[in-house]
Amino acid sequence: MGGTILFTGANSSLAIPAVRHLLTNYSDYTALLTVRNPSEADVNTKKLRDTISLFPNAKTSIRQLDLSDLSAVHDFSSTVAAEIVDGKLPPLASIVCNAYYWNLSGNAELTKDGYDKTFQVNHLAHAALVLRLLGQFGSEGGRIVLLGSDAHWPGKGSLEKYPPAIPIDLELLVKPVQDKPTDNLGRGFEKYSNSKLAVIMWMYALNRHLENDTTLSKITAVAINPGNLSDSRALRTNTPQMLAYMSKFIISPLRPLLRLKDPTMRTAAEAGIDVVDLAMNKASPGERGYFTLLKKDSSSPDSNDEEKQKELWIKSAEWVKVTNDDTALKVALE
């Protein structure tokens, strides 16, 4: 029994209660928890450490991982793979791609790799991580959990001004054209929505390849819309002051009423429990695909375009510089 569950963005408002749930209910697993800043000076990482301290016998490791740096992602993947081969870590049971980024209040940002930061952190870095580590799952398989959002579906995002869409020229996803002057809120949310659309489309392509690979077919991938999280720090990070104000004084206090209109309105802690139960194959064991909360669901029509999924799959591997030699998948990535 047991195995390693790798959780990115492990000090987020969803992840900290998720880690508590994991350590409480799946104590025979090893939690490999990545954060951008592992320092005690980081208030959110300190909260993560405080949570872990409640479980003195837990098998945990906090690691630094900056998803805005693809070289760091590749180095981290190589290190984890080597530790599993050497027996320092148990084989993977799950990868939870939880970390996210958005910027709704400032100009667009490029990473040192030259890609849009939102798209790289939310999709590309996780794609590289998953592809590099597929060969480190145990013989019983496991599960990959990607974080989706209803924002991927045109008309469903409450902050949507520009509908999400995969452009004909895929390069526009990593190097979007800027408005002059820039509509930071509208374009920032568009980048976030497009990244979540890409996550879901890539998940479908990944599942097809996994199902057709005899050595990896026991690994399942899901993308979960965790709901509209009324107490998420996302509403107060890189957002206009008005949105942060609404989060604190309107959305959180009125959550029970807002839930009558939006059944997915809930707390980050509730979402964290669902994410872990999916990751550990307790919820919907063996299932693949898109989920809203813990209910199997249909994603947007655009996300189900198989030709675009294939194009995005190949281009994503090209962007992150993962080749056939870098992944256990027996499928051409070029």
Side-chain angles (χ1 to χ4, degrees), residues 205-281:
L206 173 62
N207 271 322
R208 282 197 299 275
H209 292 307
L210 290 173
E211 288 180 286
N212 291 328
D213 191 306
T214 55
T215 62
L216 302 176
S217 60
K218 292 182 181 179
I219 302 173
T220 59
V222 299
I224 178 176
N225 164 20
N228 290 317
L229 311 183
S230 61
D231 56 349
S232 172
R233 291 201 312 270
L235 298 174
R236 304 185 298 277
T237 304
N238 296 335
T239 59
Q241 187 174 1
M242 180 55 69
L243 184 57
Y245 179 90
M246 289 177 61
S247 168
K248 182 176 181 179
F249 296 105
I250 299 176
I251 298 175
S252 288
L254 296 180
R255 180 174 59 246
L257 291 176
L258 294 173
R259 187 176 279 180
L260 296 176
K261 182 178 180 181
D262 178 4
T264 73
M265 179 72 69
R266 59 178 180 164
T267 67
E270 291 173 299
I273 291 171
D274 285 356
V275 166
V276 168
D277 286 344
L278 270 176
M280 306 317 295
N281 237 354

Side-chain angles (χ1 to χ4, degrees), residues 5 15-33 48-61 276 280:
I5 174 170
I16 290 176
V19 169
R20 180 191 291 267
H21 181 66
L22 173 69
L23 300 183
T24 300
N25 296 280
Y26 304 96
S27 59
D28 51 340
Y29 286 82
T30 297
L32 186 59
L33 309 170
L48 175 62
R49 293 186 188 279
D50 289 344
T51 297
I52 292 173
S53 70
L54 300 174
F55 303 87
N57 297 320
K59 294 169 286 188
T60 63
S61 177
V276 168
M280 306 317 295

Side-chain angles (χ1 to χ4, degrees), residues 169-185:
D169 181 2
L170 295 183
E171 288 293 330
L172 291 174
L173 290 170
V174 294
K175 297 180 180 179
V177 176
Q178 299 302 306
D179 295 332
K180 293 183 179 179
T182 303
D183 177 2
N184 290 327
L185 176 59

Side-chain angles (χ1 to χ4, degrees), residues 48-87:
L48 175 62
R49 293 186 188 279
D50 289 344
T51 297
I52 292 173
S53 70
L54 300 174
F55 303 87
N57 297 320
K59 294 169 286 188
T60 63
S61 177
I62 296 177
R63 307 285 183 92
Q64 181 176 20
L65 179 59
D66 183 356
L67 297 176
S68 67
D69 181 353
L70 287 175
S71 65
V73 176
H74 288 297
D75 290 344
F76 175 82
S77 301
S78 297
T79 297
V80 171
E83 290 184 26
I84 292 173
V85 170
D86 293 342

Side-chain angles (χ1 to χ4, degrees), residues 100-147:
Y100 96 102
Y101 184 81
W102 72 4
N103 189 345
L104 310 185
S105 60
N107 292 332
E109 304 159 272
L110 296 181
T111 66
K112 63 184 296 184
D113 301 290
Y115 301 142
D116 177 72
K117 187 173 182 179
T118 297
F119 196 78
Q120 177 166 324
V121 171
N122 294 354
H123 170 55
L124 292 181
H126 285 131
L129 187 70
V130 168
L131 289 172
R132 291 289 304 270
L133 289 175
L134 281 174
Q136 305 310 320
F137 278 79
S139 59
E140 296 181 355
R143 182 166 262 175
I144 295 157
V145 179
L146 305 168
L147 270 289

